[in-house]
Amino acid sequence: MTLRPLIASALLLGTAASLSACSTLKGAGIGAAGGAGVAAATGGSVEKGAAVGGTAGAVVGTVAK
């Protein structure tokens, strides 16, 4: 088992938490961009990274309201 998926998940959550704005839509957009970037950097699926990042960003944006 490699640490790559774990590292990618940690980076994704960190990006979503640190970059998300107070609005859900902005959080989702920033999270999607961060997720796509992390997925591209780690060799993962950019589409899946964007989807997971968008979801995480939306959640953080909602909670941060």
Side-chain angles (χ1 to χ4, degrees), residues 4-5 7-9 11-12 15 32-47 49-50:
R4 191 171 260 190
I7 292 170
S9 295
L11 285 172
L12 178 61
T15 301
V38 169
T42 60
S45 169
V46 175
E47 293 86 7

Side-chain angles (χ1 to χ4, degrees), residues 11-65:
L11 285 172
L12 178 61
L13 289 175
T15 301
S18 65
L19 294 178
S20 72
C22 291
S23 100
T24 302
L25 187 56
K26 278 187 176 179
I30 293 169
V38 169
T42 60
S45 169
V46 175
E47 293 86 7
K48 288 181 184 176
V52 171
T55 302
V59 169
V60 172
T62 301
V63 171
K65 274 188 172 180

